[in-house]
Amino acid sequence: MKNSSRIAAGVAGAVAGYVATFVLFSLLDFGNRADPITSGLLGLFFYSPVGAIAGAMLASWLVTRSGRDAGNGSVARNSLKSLGIVVLLCAAGIGIYIAYAYATATPWLNPNGNNPLLAFEVRFAAGVTVPASAQGITIELQTDLNTMPGEVTPAAFYRDGDQSVIAGEVELAFRTSHRQLAVTIQDQPSRIYPIDLTARAPHTPEFGTWRRLTDGSEIRYRAKWPGKT
């Protein structure tokens, strides 16, 4: 029998030994009944690997016993190669799982703290009527992952010459580069402003430059992270 076939048999024996030992460990209820979690971990990471080693050695011995190189050295070498392949396969499987878990995890922008904020100011064209209070103004951050209602801050409203400026904030919950801010004033068409921030939206202490829409209104904004000004 070719060496590759012997190693494959050893791999199969290791897998079978691991599974059989764990099943036997579970059925016979070994371990501490008062602490099933510790017992389960002991079965997974101690007894079952011992079973895998025994399975690999047994399979290697069975497939080599009729050949000329059926000595203990040959069995040991094939067993070690088989166990090495099993370890590599396990490592690859764990790596694939971690990559999948990372790719499919909820992309929170700040998973260990409060959500950052998008602070913004919108300057309207001359002659546009803007309410002096929050009533009649709706703010919504729209992304490819969610929508988030925002709030205006009437105390921060001001006039820039003959133009009205409103200000407000909205939470940045997710890591995405596809963001836009919808500003709707009662009895007026909604205005959609692209938000050109990177996916991670780093904190910036000052507003960026004004960005103009075709209707003459403009927006400027910055990302504001918790604990920073």
Side-chain angles (χ1 to χ4, degrees), residues 10 19 23-24 29 54 57 80 104 109-110 116 131 140 147 160-161 163 165 170 202 204 211 223 225:
V19 174
V23 170
L24 184 65
D29 200 18
M57 294 184 68
L80 286 174
T104 58
L109 189 57
N110 188 27
E140 185 178 70
T147 58
D160 186 1
Q163 295 178 276
V165 181
V170 60
T204 51
R211 298 168 182 265
W225 281 67

Side-chain angles (χ1 to χ4, degrees), residues 2-17:
K2 293 181 179 181
N3 194 49
S4 59
S5 298
R6 294 167 184 161
I7 294 174
V11 171
V15 173

Side-chain angles (χ1 to χ4, degrees), residues 14-61:
V15 173
Y18 185 97
V19 174
T21 302
F22 183 77
V23 170
L24 184 65
F25 183 88
S26 301
L27 291 177
L28 296 182
D29 200 18
F30 290 140
N32 186 359
R33 295 183 180 181
D35 191 359
I37 295 178
T38 301
S39 296
L41 293 175
L42 191 64
L44 281 172
F45 297 110
F46 180 75
Y47 291 109
S48 294
V50 171
I53 294 172
M57 294 184 68
L58 177 61
S60 295
W61 178 78

Side-chain angles (χ1 to χ4, degrees), residues 44-222:
L44 281 172
F45 297 110
F46 180 75
Y47 291 109
S48 294
V50 171
I53 294 172
M57 294 184 68
L58 177 61
S60 295
W61 178 78
L62 288 175
V63 299
T64 59
R65 64 175 181 169
S66 59
R68 295 179 181 179
D69 58 345
N72 291 335
S74 177
V75 171
R77 284 194 301 272
N78 289 336
S79 299
L80 286 174
K81 291 177 182 178
S82 300
L83 291 170
I85 291 174
V86 171
V87 170
L88 289 176
L89 291 174
C90 290
I94 293 172
I96 292 172
Y97 172 77
I98 292 173
Y100 172 79
Y102 179 81
T104 58
T106 301
W108 294 106
L109 189 57
N110 188 27
N112 299 318
N114 295 329
N115 289 331
L117 298 173
L118 176 74
F120 63 88
E121 290 184 348
V122 177
R123 183 167 64 187
F124 297 92
V128 174
T129 302
V130 177
S133 67
Q135 187 174 2
I137 303 176
T138 302
I139 305 296
E140 185 178 70
L141 179 69
Q142 302 169 347
T143 79
D144 56 335
L145 299 174
N146 75 320
T147 58
M148 183 72 70
E151 296 181 353
V152 292
T153 308
F157 290 7
Y158 65 95
R159 293 191 65 82
D160 186 1
D162 57 354
Q163 295 178 276
S164 298
V165 181
I166 66 171
E169 295 178 337
V170 60
E171 290 186 2
L172 297 170
F174 298 111
R175 187 175 62 251
T176 175
S177 57
H178 301 286
R179 303 183 180 100
Q180 61 184 23
L181 191 72
V183 178
T184 305
I185 296 177
Q186 189 174 1
D187 300 327
Q188 297 182 25
S190 292
R191 297 172 173 87
I192 306 296
Y193 301 93
I195 303 300
D196 188 21
L197 291 175
T198 63
R200 295 188 180 277
H203 175 83
T204 51
E206 298 179 354
F207 285 110
T209 58
W210 289 103
R211 298 168 182 265
R212 181 183 293 269
L213 284 188
T214 56
D215 71 340
S217 65
E218 298 170 288
I219 188 172
R220 64 178 182 175
Y221 48 80
R222 69 185 184 96

